């Protein structure tokens, strides 16, 4: 009886018996041919390398921009093992991949393609990157940003202002809460973006908490050379002095909604007629930029001192500009 049962249900594929019922494999229903076709397709058409291409573009663009800004070596007496553009690009790669200094060193050592691109035999030690980060001049941020703006030919656009905080505590949130040791300070970052390209045209970073008004006039005056048509900001910027700075010094039109308890002034009364909600709605793009910076380059600063946290925050906005530049160009 047992032999007859197997002869009747004989199958070349694997199957199992449970009591008197036979459970067939999916291949019993003709799925083998589909599987072969799929495997042949994968072998002929390899998986897309879009992630690698984005990474390669970021490395190449960062390196090319830095070549024209930084000197090859920081000192004539340096060991001349690694150039400053190479170290800066590795630093950008660290933030792009959200790695520590030790991890990015291991990553570079493992990647022969990256070492070949930089023309180096071995990855720099993590302490070399840390020392380079500490002595990195902050004036180069504006110089690279100016190159990006010139390449994209940003003129007479609409500029949006806003600020956001970057946390400084890398401790576990649960541990900090039960120990009642949560840090209340953070790094306050303020940016001015072009709403057409979403490029950060000016950035500032200071220890927070700090009100956005304290950043506003410096950002507005930094936009004077670009001659924007409109300056967009939320109700936090609703002061007569800020409106006067935009109208008189820049010759632009401010798009700032009035507070419910505002006191009358010359430029506030004027704004009641010039305010256009369709233009002001573009202010939300600055929130989008902050979201991308924190999602890709991390919203938590790992540096210990206030000076380095401020520098780290501004570095993230610079690397965001390079990332955004590649998206626009491609």
């Amino acid at each position: 009886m047992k032999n007859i049962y197997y002869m009747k249900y004989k199958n070349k594929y694997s199957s199992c018996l449970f009591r008197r019922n036979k459970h067939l494999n999916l291949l019993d229903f003709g799925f083998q041919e589909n599987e072969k076709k799929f495997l042949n397709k994968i072998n002929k058409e390899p998986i897309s390398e879009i992630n690698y291409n984005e990474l390669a573009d970021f490395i190449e663009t960062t390196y090319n921009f830095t070549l024209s800004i930084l000197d090859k070596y920081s000192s004539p007496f340096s060991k001349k093992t690694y150039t400053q553009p190479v170290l800066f690009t590795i630093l950008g790669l660290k933030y792009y991949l959200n790695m520590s200094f030790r991890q990015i060193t291991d990553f570079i050592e493992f990647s022969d393609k990256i070492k070949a691109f930089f023309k180096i035999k071995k990855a720099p030690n993590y302490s070399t990157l840390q020392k380079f980060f500490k002595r990195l001049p902050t004036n180069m941020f504006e110089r690279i940003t100016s190159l990006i703006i010139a390449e994209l030919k940003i003129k007479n656009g609409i500029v949006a202002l806003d600020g956001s905080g970057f946390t400084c505590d890398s401790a576990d949130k649960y541990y900090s809460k039960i120990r009642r040791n949560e840090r209340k300070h953070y790094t306050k970052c303020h940016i001015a973006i072009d709403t057409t390209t979403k490029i950060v045209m000016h950035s500032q970073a200071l220890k927070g908490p700090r009100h956005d008004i304290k950043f506003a006039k410096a950002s507005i005056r930094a936009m004077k050379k670009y001659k924007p048509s409109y300056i967009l900001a939320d109700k936090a910027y609703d002061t007569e002095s800020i409106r006067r700075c935009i109208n008189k010094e820049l010759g632009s039109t401010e798009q700032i909604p009035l507070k419910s308890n505002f006191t009358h002034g010359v430029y506030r009364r004027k704004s009641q007629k010039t305010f256009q909600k369709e233009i002001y709605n573009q202010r939300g793009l600055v929130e989008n930029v902050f979201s991308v910076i924190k999602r890709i380059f991390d919203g938590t600063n790992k540096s210990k001192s206030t000076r380095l946290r401020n520098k780290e925050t501004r570095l993230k906005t610079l690397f965001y500009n390079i990332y955004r530049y590649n998206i626009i160009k491609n």
Side-chain angles (χ1 to χ4, degrees):
M1 185 68 182
K2 188 174 181 181
N3 294 334
I4 296 173
Y5 186 84
Y6 275 103
M7 288 175 63
K8 185 176 180 181
Y9 295 99
K10 187 176 180 181
N11 193 337
K12 61 181 177 180
Y13 304 120
S14 61
S15 58
C16 61
L17 288 172
F18 181 73
R19 295 185 181 177
R20 299 188 65 83
N21 297 323
K22 186 173 184 181
H23 293 254
L24 301 178
N25 192 290
L26 286 176
L27 297 177
D28 294 325
F29 299 94
F31 282 90
Q32 188 185 33
E33 294 299 324
N34 292 334
E35 184 185 24
K36 289 180 179 178
K37 290 179 181 178
F38 176 76
L39 291 175
N40 291 334
K41 184 178 179 181
I42 290 295
N43 292 329
K44 291 179 181 178
E45 302 176 10
I47 298 173
S48 173
E49 296 182 354
I50 185 169
N51 292 331
Y52 170 76
N53 290 336
E54 288 180 357
L55 183 62
D57 288 344
F58 180 82
I59 293 172
E60 186 177 359
T61 306
T62 306
Y63 183 73
N64 290 335
F65 274 125
T66 315
L67 278 175
S68 57
I69 300 298
L70 286 176
D71 294 330
K72 192 172 183 180
Y73 301 105
S74 59
S75 170
F77 304 103
S78 65
K79 294 181 180 180
K80 300 182 180 180
T81 308
Y82 306 102
T83 63
Q84 288 196 108
V86 168
L87 294 176
F88 184 81
T89 307
I90 294 175
L91 192 64
L93 193 59
K94 169 194 174 299
Y95 289 110
Y96 186 82
L97 299 174
N98 287 327
M99 291 182 174
S100 65
F101 284 102
R102 295 173 187 266
Q103 288 172 336
I104 194 62
T105 299
D106 294 337
F107 179 79
I108 298 296
E109 188 64 36
F110 181 75
S111 177
D112 294 333
K113 289 185 178 180
I114 295 179
K115 286 191 291 184
F117 176 79
F118 290 142
K119 297 178 181 179
I120 56 177
K121 295 181 179 179
K122 64 177 183 177
N125 190 271
Y126 68 91
S127 61
T128 303
L129 293 173
Q130 289 175 334
K131 292 174 183 177
F132 172 76
F133 170 64
K134 288 180 180 179
R135 68 171 184 267
L136 188 66
T138 55
N139 62 350
M140 64 164 295
F141 301 164
E142 288 84 1
R143 296 172 64 186
I144 295 179
T145 300
S146 299
L147 284 178
I148 294 173
I149 293 172
E151 285 285 328
L152 298 176
K153 299 178 181 178
I154 300 174
K155 292 181 180 179
N156 299 324
I158 300 175
V159 174
L161 310 177
D162 204 2
S164 184
F166 285 72
T167 59
C168 305
D169 192 5
S170 57
D172 180 70
K173 295 296 181 183
Y174 177 74
Y175 177 83
S176 301
K177 189 174 182 179
I178 62 175
R179 297 292 181 183
R180 298 179 181 178
N181 193 28
E182 290 184 294
R183 295 183 183 178
K184 295 182 180 179
H185 66 270
Y186 53 88
T187 302
K188 186 64 180 287
C189 179
H190 189 272
I191 60 175
I193 70 159
D194 173 63
T195 57
T196 305
T197 58
K198 298 182 185 178
I199 290 291
V200 178
M201 305 176 74
H202 183 259
S203 67
Q204 303 172 77
L206 291 172
K207 182 180 178 180
R210 198 174 292 259
H211 200 277
D212 291 339
I213 292 178
K214 296 184 178 181
F215 298 92
K217 288 186 179 180
S219 295
I220 292 167
R221 286 165 181 157
M223 297 297 102
K224 188 174 182 179
K225 57 184 176 181
Y226 302 115
K227 299 178 181 179
S229 303
Y230 297 95
I231 301 290
L232 316 181
D234 57 19
K235 290 183 180 180
Y237 298 82
D238 179 26
T239 65
E240 189 70 11
S241 61
I242 290 177
R243 293 179 187 272
R244 186 186 302 110
C245 181
I246 295 172
N247 283 271
K248 291 193 70 175
E249 296 187 26
L250 265 70
S252 305
T253 304
E254 92 283 352
Q255 296 295 311
I256 304 173
L258 293 166
K259 294 179 181 178
S260 57
N261 58 344
F262 75 95
T263 55
H264 287 280
V266 176
Y267 294 100
R268 278 174 166 163
R269 286 197 298 270
K270 182 181 176 182
S271 68
Q272 290 178 312
K273 299 178 181 179
T274 59
F275 183 77
Q276 301 178 51
K277 195 172 186 306
E278 296 79 12
I279 296 176
Y280 174 74
N281 287 340
Q282 298 183 46
R283 192 205 66 83
L285 294 173
V286 71
E287 306 285 358
N288 186 9
V289 170
F290 271 123
S291 175
V292 175
I293 293 173
K294 292 181 179 182
R295 187 175 68 251
I296 296 178
F297 300 99
D298 197 6
T300 302
N301 293 329
K302 303 297 192 301
S303 301
K304 301 301 179 184
S305 68
T306 301
R307 182 181 68 87
L308 293 181
R309 286 172 191 154
N310 297 342
K311 183 187 288 189
E312 183 178 351
T313 304
R314 294 192 63 198
L315 262 178
K316 290 177 181 179
T317 61
L318 175 62
F319 291 134
Y320 161 80
N321 276 349
I322 296 173
Y323 168 80
R324 182 64 190 168
Y325 172 85
N326 285 334
I327 292 177
I328 295 171
K329 283 297 184 180
N330 295 330

